[in-house]
């Protein structure tokens, strides 16, 4: 991976989120970033009892709703986390610890391109946490977001994304249900981290 145009991510500068508790990672471990009220996370954990999911949401009221539902269902393979996913990932996850990543309907950040996930220096760190041959899935209803993400995946991260239309009947998240009900098109980007892919964080572990 060569990545000359982007400033480098500096994990050592990030403090652990408030109240941080290092999780016990059990395999296969999946990560969802921006889980909202947890619709996808709850369904994924219920439907895949053999897989572990950590689902992170930063907004307090959405997280509370998610955490309540999670408690009611007592799914022992789901860990809801209230935090900013960036410092949390830095402090919680070792290299090649993830079997897959979901980023479903991220904030579009229309005025702040540097905050879109594939534009962030953090994305390299996230890739370093994924095992070889595992997949990252990103979905959005914004055509320019998916086009930019596709371009960045190719040019900046030297990966081979696959873009598809989300099925009209899909109901993975609250935002997905809302957009599809309005008749909007939603897109999905799928990225596989290839065998032997290198990042500058492959040996980096939080102290
Ligand atoms: C548009 S909502 C989509 C929520 C859910 N995935 C869905 O599709 O219904 C994006 C969510 O990502 C969360 N988010 C954005 N940046 C985050 C970060 N750095 N860490 C954790 N959550 C984040 C926001 O709080 C928001 O709830």
């Amino acid at each position: 991976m060569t990545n000359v145009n982007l400033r480098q991510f500096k994990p050592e500068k990030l403090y652990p989120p408030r109240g941080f508790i290092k999780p016990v990672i059990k395999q296969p471990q999946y990560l969802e970033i921006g889980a909202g009220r947890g619709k996808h996370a709850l369904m994924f954990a219920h439907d895949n009892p053999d897989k572990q999911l950590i689902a992170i949401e930063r907004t307090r009221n959405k997280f509370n709703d998610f955490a309540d539902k999670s408690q009611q269902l007592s799914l022992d393979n789901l860990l809801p986390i209230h935090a900013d996913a960036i410092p949390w990932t830095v402090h919680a996850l070792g290299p090649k610890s993830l079997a897959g990543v979901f980023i479903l309907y991220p904030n579009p950040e229309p005025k702040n391109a540097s905050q879109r996930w594939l534009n962030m220096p953090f994305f390299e760190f996230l890739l370093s946490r994924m095992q070889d041959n595992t997949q990252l899935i990103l979905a959005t209803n914004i055509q320019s977001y998916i086009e930019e993400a596709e371009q960045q995946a190719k040019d900046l991260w030297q990966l081979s994304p696959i873009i598809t239309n989300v099925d009209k009947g899909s109901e993975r998240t609250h935002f997905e249900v809302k957009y599809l009900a309005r008749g909007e098109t939603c897109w999905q980007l799928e990225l596989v981290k290839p065998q032997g892919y290198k990042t500058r964080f492959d040996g980096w572990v939080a102290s």
Side-chain angles (χ1 to χ4, degrees):
M1 210 256 340
T2 50
N3 175 4
V4 286
N5 296 324
L6 200 64
R7 71 193 184 317
Q8 194 179 335
F9 184 61
K10 298 223 161 55
E12 68 282 3
K13 300 263 190 225
L14 295 181
Y15 290 106
R18 190 183 308 187
F20 176 73
I21 299 170
K22 200 169 168 90
V24 175
I25 301 298
K26 291 184 241 154
Q27 293 298 338
Q29 180 66 66
Y30 290 72
L31 177 70
E32 181 170 350
I33 294 179
R37 299 183 192 278
K39 184 172 168 61
H40 173 264
L42 294 161
M43 200 164 53
F44 179 90
H46 178 266
D47 293 349
N48 298 280
D50 54 329
K51 296 177 179 159
Q52 310 293 319
L53 178 64
I54 291 170
I56 310 181
E57 174 50 50
R58 178 174 75 176
T59 303
R60 165 63 75 185
N61 63 346
K62 291 187 189 180
F63 175 77
N64 286 349
D65 202 17
F66 171 28
D68 286 350
K69 287 183 202 134
S70 170
Q71 212 166 21
Q72 283 161 26
L73 294 177
S74 58
L75 295 159
D76 59 12
N77 59 336
L78 174 61
L79 179 61
I81 297 285
H82 179 228
D84 183 323
I86 296 177
W88 190 91
T89 298
V90 161
H91 287 277
L93 301 177
K96 298 200 177 183
S97 54
L98 295 175
V101 177
F102 300 99
I103 307 178
L104 302 175
Y105 304 91
N107 291 339
E109 306 289 355
K111 297 202 173 121
N112 204 350
S114 65
Q115 294 301 303
R116 298 180 206 135
W117 289 102
L118 277 88
N119 296 347
M120 286 194 218
F122 168 73
F123 198 75
E124 182 181 357
F125 190 89
L126 183 60
L127 288 168
S128 78
R129 306 297 102 171
M130 291 169 65
Q131 294 153 8
D132 289 354
N133 302 314
T134 62
Q135 193 179 48
L136 178 146
I137 292 180
L138 181 145
T140 179
N141 65 323
I142 302 194
Q143 189 167 1
S144 58
Y145 195 117
I146 209 77
E147 287 171 356
E148 179 186 71
E150 180 182 23
Q151 208 56 50
Q152 292 291 70
K154 289 180 185 164
D155 295 350
L156 197 51
W157 308 115
Q158 289 159 23
L159 293 164
S160 304
I162 294 174
I163 309 291
T164 52
N165 282 17
V166 174
D167 191 274
K168 298 282 175 223
S170 184
E171 298 186 339
R172 288 174 298 184
T173 78
H174 289 103
F175 278 75
E176 184 165 86
V177 169
K178 181 172 80 176
Y179 298 138
L180 292 174
R182 294 201 302 227
E184 293 181 24
T185 301
C186 295
W187 292 271
Q188 179 156 305
L189 172 141
E190 293 167 26
L191 280 181
V192 172
K193 177 179 174 180
Q195 189 79 36
Y197 186 87
K198 300 256 185 292
T199 81
R200 290 171 285 200
F201 304 106
D202 295 343
W204 198 92
V205 180
S207 53

